[in-house]
Amino acid sequence: MIVRERLTIDQIHSMYASGETTPSEVCRQTLERIDAGNGRLNALLCVTRESALARAAAMDAGIGEAITRKPLAGIPVVVKDNLCTAGIPTTCGSRMLEHYLPPYTATAVRRLLDAGAVLVGKANLDEYAMGGSTENSAFGPARNPWNEDYVPGGSSGGSAVAVAAGFVPVSLGSDTGGSIRQPASFCGLVGLKPTYGRVSRYGLVAFASSLDQIGPFSWNVRDSARVLGVIAGHDPHDSTSAAEPVGDYLSGLDGDLRGVRIGIPAECFAEGLDDEVRAAVESGIARLTARGAEIVEVSLPHMKYVIAVYYIIATAEASSNLARFDGVRYGFRADQARTLSELYRRTRDLGFGDEVKRRIMLGTFVLSSGYYDAYYEKAQRVRSMLVDDFAAAFAKCDAIITPTAPTPPFRIGEKSDHPLALYLGDIYTVTINLAGLPAINLPCGMSASGLPIGMQLIGNHFDEARLLRIASAAEQL
Ligand code: GLN
């Protein structure tokens, strides 16, 4: 599979405007590309062929006018399969939800549809979004279209592959500790995790509720900005969604970087960072300065604790969130259970994969009486110190740059038996979720083996408009 031509929303809309093509035609071509590539790449767990074709056909007549009103009119999209879609399977990459049909649609997906998008499928993921390679999916790993022997990253690997393989111009993922930014980095895409609370989590199957956010994948900053403008904003169904007004994310893109201060935390360029990644990110930074950005040193003194803090807080929340999958309320139920407790145990034993079980056990342990103070409470305290570190850093700069992942993409199977090695790969991304900040992956180079490398641009809370402007100026290089 080679990486396909880079489809963008603007390209498709200008073809609609000129009458060169129609939503039906674009939808048919999308389905053809999926039919040709998905068997190998395993990016999509479900293709909503009939409903997509019908919806697209209904748009054909009025599309010239619709594109002036609806930012995603006639645009094919896929969403990660932990986003609820009414009447369409929502598996979370788990046997537990293999046959689950949600009775409602997630707010972010509903807003895409209201903006005119055509949903063509649901994307593969690590089971319950736990992982960084999409190898934890109960339905087999997704493959990186740049080289199919390599992982596409995760947990939103299928959403990244769907864009990188040219199936669709944009997709949605979820990011609890890097699951949008890291696969974007591994697949050469833009991937945005908004500020915590910027996008409603209603209908996103919860992994770690204080960290989860939904965001877009795309080829360029402009398309991610457009999708953010569609999905952002308060939602009465999610009390943690922010009332903060939604910015104008499309204006001021493609400017220059004069007067912009970029913070570089030395702690993120220390040992453990692969040489190729370091070189690619440093060349990315050098190009920003060539465009007028000013570099300032900032410090994140609590960086060294972030993996431990994240894997305590995320697993604690996961153990609580996943308690609801008991064989009674949702999806899978084990048979041959004689008592209620046996029903729970057998259902959870057969329904969950190894990584999910590992996290439930870890999370239950750190919350148990006697260990709560030693682990969970201490992790929460370090989390607030990290928030203070960022507040001090943003007093000196407009955005911060770090690598997105410490290594280039790795081979399928290379780390699947080494959970700790995978966890360590999350160092630069989990930090951002703990602090609730927005961050975006931008491609910044290629490894010697021909795989993409990305850098992470971090903004201040609810400062997505500025973050996107800086990212878009950087992308022009
Ligand atoms: N890789 C991280 C983890 O395994 C992040 C996952 C995510 O963001 N959903 O927890």
PDB file of all heavy atoms in Angstrom, residues 129-132 155 175-179 207 310-311 359 426, ligand 1:
ATOM      1  N   ALA A 129      -9.264   1.863  23.955  1.00  0.00           N
ATOM      2  CA  ALA A 129      -8.276   2.953  23.774  1.00  0.00           C
ATOM      3  C   ALA A 129      -7.055   2.792  24.666  1.00  0.00           C
ATOM      4  O   ALA A 129      -6.355   3.764  24.947  1.00  0.00           O
ATOM      5  CB  ALA A 129      -8.930   4.323  23.976  1.00  0.00           C
ATOM      6  N   MET A 130      -6.786   1.549  25.110  1.00  0.00           N
ATOM      7  CA  MET A 130      -5.636   1.320  25.980  1.00  0.00           C
ATOM      8  C   MET A 130      -4.492   0.734  25.175  1.00  0.00           C
ATOM      9  O   MET A 130      -4.481  -0.466  24.862  1.00  0.00           O
ATOM     10  CB  MET A 130      -6.025   0.370  27.111  1.00  0.00           C
ATOM     11  CG  MET A 130      -7.105   0.961  28.004  1.00  0.00           C
ATOM     12  SD  MET A 130      -7.626  -0.216  29.241  1.00  0.00           S
ATOM     13  CE  MET A 130      -8.974   0.699  29.984  1.00  0.00           C
ATOM     14  N   GLY A 131      -3.539   1.591  24.840  1.00  0.00           N
ATOM     15  CA  GLY A 131      -2.388   1.122  24.086  1.00  0.00           C
ATOM     16  C   GLY A 131      -1.850   2.203  23.188  1.00  0.00           C
ATOM     17  O   GLY A 131      -2.404   3.306  23.123  1.00  0.00           O
ATOM     18  N   GLY A 132      -0.762   1.880  22.506  1.00  0.00           N
ATOM     19  CA  GLY A 132      -0.125   2.868  21.650  1.00  0.00           C
ATOM     20  C   GLY A 132       0.296   2.268  20.316  1.00  0.00           C
ATOM     21  O   GLY A 132       1.203   2.776  19.662  1.00  0.00           O
ATOM     22  N   SER A 155      -3.788   4.844  20.575  1.00  0.00           N
ATOM     23  CA  SER A 155      -4.784   3.831  20.306  1.00  0.00           C
ATOM     24  C   SER A 155      -5.674   4.141  19.105  1.00  0.00           C
ATOM     25  O   SER A 155      -6.312   3.235  18.581  1.00  0.00           O
ATOM     26  CB  SER A 155      -5.670   3.656  21.543  1.00  0.00           C
ATOM     27  OG  SER A 155      -6.416   4.842  21.798  1.00  0.00           O
ATOM     28  N   ASP A 175      -8.124  10.930  22.682  1.00  0.00           N
ATOM     29  CA  ASP A 175      -6.764  11.055  23.200  1.00  0.00           C
ATOM     30  C   ASP A 175      -6.838  11.184  24.717  1.00  0.00           C
ATOM     31  O   ASP A 175      -7.339  12.177  25.234  1.00  0.00           O
ATOM     32  CB  ASP A 175      -6.120  12.296  22.551  1.00  0.00           C
ATOM     33  CG  ASP A 175      -4.635  12.429  22.823  1.00  0.00           C
ATOM     34  OD1 ASP A 175      -4.238  12.269  23.996  1.00  0.00           O
ATOM     35  OD2 ASP A 175      -3.882  12.718  21.876  1.00  0.00           O
ATOM     36  N   THR A 176      -6.348  10.152  25.399  1.00  0.00           N
ATOM     37  CA  THR A 176      -6.334  10.118  26.855  1.00  0.00           C
ATOM     38  C   THR A 176      -4.925  10.359  27.364  1.00  0.00           C
ATOM     39  O   THR A 176      -4.707  10.911  28.437  1.00  0.00           O
ATOM     40  CB  THR A 176      -6.857   8.744  27.334  1.00  0.00           C
ATOM     41  OG1 THR A 176      -8.150   8.533  26.773  1.00  0.00           O
ATOM     42  CG2 THR A 176      -6.908   8.639  28.848  1.00  0.00           C
ATOM     43  N   GLY A 177      -3.955   9.902  26.519  1.00  0.00           N
ATOM     44  CA  GLY A 177      -2.554  10.076  26.890  1.00  0.00           C
ATOM     45  C   GLY A 177      -1.676  10.132  25.647  1.00  0.00           C
ATOM     46  O   GLY A 177      -0.489   9.830  25.706  1.00  0.00           O
ATOM     47  N   GLY A 178      -2.281  10.497  24.517  1.00  0.00           N
ATOM     48  CA  GLY A 178      -1.496  10.600  23.284  1.00  0.00           C
ATOM     49  C   GLY A 178      -2.113   9.901  22.099  1.00  0.00           C
ATOM     50  O   GLY A 178      -1.543   9.900  20.999  1.00  0.00           O
ATOM     51  N   SER A 179      -3.285   9.333  22.272  1.00  0.00           N
ATOM     52  CA  SER A 179      -3.847   8.452  21.243  1.00  0.00           C
ATOM     53  C   SER A 179      -4.275   9.124  19.953  1.00  0.00           C
ATOM     54  O   SER A 179      -4.627   8.439  19.000  1.00  0.00           O
ATOM     55  CB  SER A 179      -5.025   7.670  21.809  1.00  0.00           C
ATOM     56  OG  SER A 179      -4.525   6.620  22.586  1.00  0.00           O
ATOM     57  N   PHE A 207     -12.589   6.030  29.084  1.00  0.00           N
ATOM     58  CA  PHE A 207     -11.402   5.294  29.533  1.00  0.00           C
ATOM     59  C   PHE A 207     -10.982   5.948  30.847  1.00  0.00           C
ATOM     60  O   PHE A 207     -11.178   5.383  31.920  1.00  0.00           O
ATOM     61  CB  PHE A 207     -10.359   5.350  28.415  1.00  0.00           C
ATOM     62  CG  PHE A 207      -8.929   5.024  28.775  1.00  0.00           C
ATOM     63  CD1 PHE A 207      -8.563   4.507  30.017  1.00  0.00           C
ATOM     64  CD2 PHE A 207      -7.923   5.219  27.824  1.00  0.00           C
ATOM     65  CE1 PHE A 207      -7.224   4.204  30.309  1.00  0.00           C
ATOM     66  CE2 PHE A 207      -6.592   4.932  28.124  1.00  0.00           C
ATOM     67  CZ  PHE A 207      -6.246   4.436  29.372  1.00  0.00           C
ATOM     68  N   TYR A 310       0.654   9.233  35.303  1.00  0.00           N
ATOM     69  CA  TYR A 310      -0.381   8.909  34.319  1.00  0.00           C
ATOM     70  C   TYR A 310      -0.889   7.477  34.511  1.00  0.00           C
ATOM     71  O   TYR A 310      -2.108   7.242  34.497  1.00  0.00           O
ATOM     72  CB  TYR A 310       0.156   9.084  32.896  1.00  0.00           C
ATOM     73  CG  TYR A 310      -0.785   8.540  31.838  1.00  0.00           C
ATOM     74  CD1 TYR A 310      -1.880   9.285  31.390  1.00  0.00           C
ATOM     75  CD2 TYR A 310      -0.602   7.269  31.295  1.00  0.00           C
ATOM     76  CE1 TYR A 310      -2.749   8.788  30.436  1.00  0.00           C
ATOM     77  CE2 TYR A 310      -1.479   6.748  30.339  1.00  0.00           C
ATOM     78  CZ  TYR A 310      -2.541   7.513  29.911  1.00  0.00           C
ATOM     79  OH  TYR A 310      -3.418   7.007  28.967  1.00  0.00           O
ATOM     80  N   TYR A 311       0.011   6.525  34.671  1.00  0.00           N
ATOM     81  CA  TYR A 311      -0.441   5.136  34.748  1.00  0.00           C
ATOM     82  C   TYR A 311      -1.088   4.811  36.096  1.00  0.00           C
ATOM     83  O   TYR A 311      -1.711   3.771  36.237  1.00  0.00           O
ATOM     84  CB  TYR A 311       0.682   4.158  34.348  1.00  0.00           C
ATOM     85  CG  TYR A 311       0.715   4.042  32.831  1.00  0.00           C
ATOM     86  CD1 TYR A 311       1.567   4.827  32.057  1.00  0.00           C
ATOM     87  CD2 TYR A 311      -0.178   3.214  32.173  1.00  0.00           C
ATOM     88  CE1 TYR A 311       1.543   4.759  30.670  1.00  0.00           C
ATOM     89  CE2 TYR A 311      -0.213   3.139  30.789  1.00  0.00           C
ATOM     90  CZ  TYR A 311       0.644   3.913  30.041  1.00  0.00           C
ATOM     91  OH  TYR A 311       0.588   3.839  28.673  1.00  0.00           O
ATOM     92  N   ARG A 359      -4.771  -3.264  33.346  1.00  0.00           N
ATOM     93  CA  ARG A 359      -5.057  -1.903  33.833  1.00  0.00           C
ATOM     94  C   ARG A 359      -6.134  -1.901  34.905  1.00  0.00           C
ATOM     95  O   ARG A 359      -6.074  -1.106  35.844  1.00  0.00           O
ATOM     96  CB  ARG A 359      -5.454  -1.018  32.658  1.00  0.00           C
ATOM     97  CG  ARG A 359      -4.302  -0.940  31.671  1.00  0.00           C
ATOM     98  CD  ARG A 359      -4.341   0.278  30.866  1.00  0.00           C
ATOM     99  NE  ARG A 359      -3.301   0.231  29.850  1.00  0.00           N
ATOM    100  CZ  ARG A 359      -2.926   1.267  29.152  1.00  0.00           C
ATOM    101  NH1 ARG A 359      -3.505   2.428  29.344  1.00  0.00           N
ATOM    102  NH2 ARG A 359      -1.979   1.151  28.248  1.00  0.00           N
ATOM    103  N   ASP A 426       5.021   6.901  25.900  1.00  0.00           N
ATOM    104  CA  ASP A 426       3.960   7.901  26.081  1.00  0.00           C
ATOM    105  C   ASP A 426       4.435   9.153  26.815  1.00  0.00           C
ATOM    106  O   ASP A 426       3.635  10.040  27.121  1.00  0.00           O
ATOM    107  CB  ASP A 426       2.801   7.296  26.889  1.00  0.00           C
ATOM    108  CG  ASP A 426       2.143   6.121  26.175  1.00  0.00           C
ATOM    109  OD1 ASP A 426       2.201   6.088  24.933  1.00  0.00           O
ATOM    110  OD2 ASP A 426       1.584   5.253  26.866  1.00  0.00           O
TER     111      ASP A 426
HETATM  112  N1  GLN B   1      -0.834   5.026  25.052  1.00  0.00           N
HETATM  113  C1  GLN B   1      -1.525   5.573  26.171  1.00  0.00           C
HETATM  114  C2  GLN B   1      -2.139   4.459  26.969  1.00  0.00           C
HETATM  115  O1  GLN B   1      -1.921   3.358  26.619  1.00  0.00           O
HETATM  116  C3  GLN B   1      -2.562   6.546  25.725  1.00  0.00           C
HETATM  117  C4  GLN B   1      -3.832   5.934  25.284  1.00  0.00           C
HETATM  118  C5  GLN B   1      -4.869   6.947  24.878  1.00  0.00           C
HETATM  119  O2  GLN B   1      -4.573   8.127  24.721  1.00  0.00           O
HETATM  120  N2  GLN B   1      -6.095   6.489  24.746  1.00  0.00           N
HETATM  121  O3  GLN B   1      -2.806   4.674  27.931  1.00  0.00           O
END
